[in-house]
Amino acid sequence: MNFIKAESYEALSCAAAEIIAAQIAEKKNAVLGLATGSSPLGTYACLSKMYAEERADFSEVTSVNLDEYVGLSAENEQSYRYFMNKNLFDHINIRPENTFVPNGCAEELAREAAEYDALIARLGGIDLQLLGIGLDGHIGFNEPAEFFTKETHVTELDASTIEANARFFARREDVPTKAITMGMGAIMGAKKILLIANGKKKREILEKAMYGKITPRVPASILQLHPNVTVIYSEI
Ligand code: GLP
């Protein structure tokens, strides 16, 4: 595992963007696994800037996002599809038809989940997966559990995750309690993983995940078994 300490959120974001840009420079048609949350916002801003400066070309890139809230449509400002369009896809030259986010409004969510895994398999897996980490150690929306789930699946969000996400919603009742998320199979199948953890509040869980026991109680701890993980963190 490769640890990079950044002096600020900006430095963390640009370091992550440089790694993503290097990936697509090396392989123009790379498959990027993308994440939401506040952590990658700066990374996406840096990537948008790099595109504007002609330092990154996304024309042949495909993206697959980790997760989506159940019940939120693409038009809902709190949906992860909306987030991705607004914060990244609208600012770069990725083809909209090459961007994938699980559909949280699918009539049959189990089928949507199976099709998402089939899509990732058809794409040949993920070249570089960007991850944030939840305060309870979740990655994507793989919440602490008794076992790791391999497949894309529907999950109940933990009380702490609902609490953490409430800041984005006008009313408490609007915060979704379920999500559809990539499982550990697709995440661990990525050729490279890039995890970003910003700020003091992530320090304790990051240490637990990277140096503690490998357990589904701390979902990100499974990353200790992956051969190519870069962690960029800042403590400010
Ligand atoms: C959400 C996302 C995760 C993300 C986490 C941390 O729960 N599903 O993918 O890593 O939040 O969010 P933040 O970066 O805002 O701390």
Side-chain angles (χ1 to χ4, degrees):
M1 214 169 282
N2 177 23
F3 287 91
I4 301 173
K5 184 176 176 183
E7 294 307 324
S8 64
Y9 177 61
E10 288 66 35
L12 173 152
S13 301
C14 289
E18 291 290 348
I19 290 174
I20 296 170
Q23 171 67 68
I24 62 174
E26 180 191 316
K27 185 178 176 192
K28 273 181 85 68
N29 63 348
V31 178
L32 298 180
L34 297 179
T36 50
S38 45
S39 305
L41 279 171
T43 305
Y44 295 156
C46 280
L47 286 173
S48 304
K49 189 160 173 270
M50 289 173 97
Y51 167 69
E53 293 167 352
E54 296 182 9
R55 289 198 289 139
D57 174 19
F58 296 84
S59 58
E60 291 178 37
V61 168
T62 298
S63 70
V64 282
N65 259 77
L66 283 165
D67 46 15
E68 179 60 281
Y69 289 119
V70 167
L72 298 199
S73 70
E75 293 73 42
N76 188 308
E77 292 186 14
Q78 301 308 332
S79 75
Y80 284 168
R81 162 54 80 178
Y82 190 97
F83 174 104
M84 289 308 301
N85 289 346
K86 180 172 151 222
N87 294 301
L88 183 65
F89 302 151
D90 288 351
H91 310 288
I92 59 172
N93 66 335
I94 196 164
R95 296 159 67 124
E97 64 272 29
N98 289 347
T99 67
F100 298 94
V101 180
N103 177 6
C105 288
E107 249 170 63
E108 284 181 58
L109 287 166
R111 194 160 86 189
E112 171 68 16
E115 283 173 1
Y116 206 67
D117 282 331
L119 163 78
I120 294 168
R122 261 199 323 278
L123 292 169
I126 296 164
D127 290 302
L128 175 64
Q129 176 66 56
L130 176 65
L131 293 175
I133 183 168
L135 287 172
D136 61 0
H138 72 242
I139 47 178
F141 269 133
N142 290 274
E143 293 280 28
E146 274 166 40
F147 46 81
F148 293 112
T149 301
K150 182 180 175 192
E151 294 83 13
T152 296
H153 58 284
V154 173
T155 180
E156 302 272 346
L157 302 181
D158 269 21
S160 68
T161 303
I162 295 171
E163 179 68 34
N165 292 344
R167 68 188 193 275
F168 299 112
F169 293 82
R171 294 179 315 165
R172 193 45 188 249
E173 315 83 91
D174 296 339
V175 190
T177 57
K178 281 185 190 177
I180 177 167
T181 182
M182 232 185 241
M184 294 304 193
I187 295 173
M188 290 296 284
K191 295 179 188 79
K192 296 175 205 153
I193 290 181
L194 173 57
L195 186 142
I196 53 177
N198 178 47
K200 278 202 193 81
K201 64 178 188 303
K202 294 284 172 76
R203 189 193 169 128
E204 196 183 327
I205 189 63
L206 186 65
E207 269 183 21
K208 219 169 154 187
M210 298 302 138
Y211 299 112
K213 208 161 85 176
I214 298 170
T215 163
R217 293 275 167 220
V218 183
S221 64
I222 199 173
L223 299 175
Q224 292 181 42
L225 300 176
H226 192 284
N228 192 332
V229 179
T230 300
V231 178
I232 311 182
Y233 66 101
S234 85
E235 292 180 340
I236 297 154

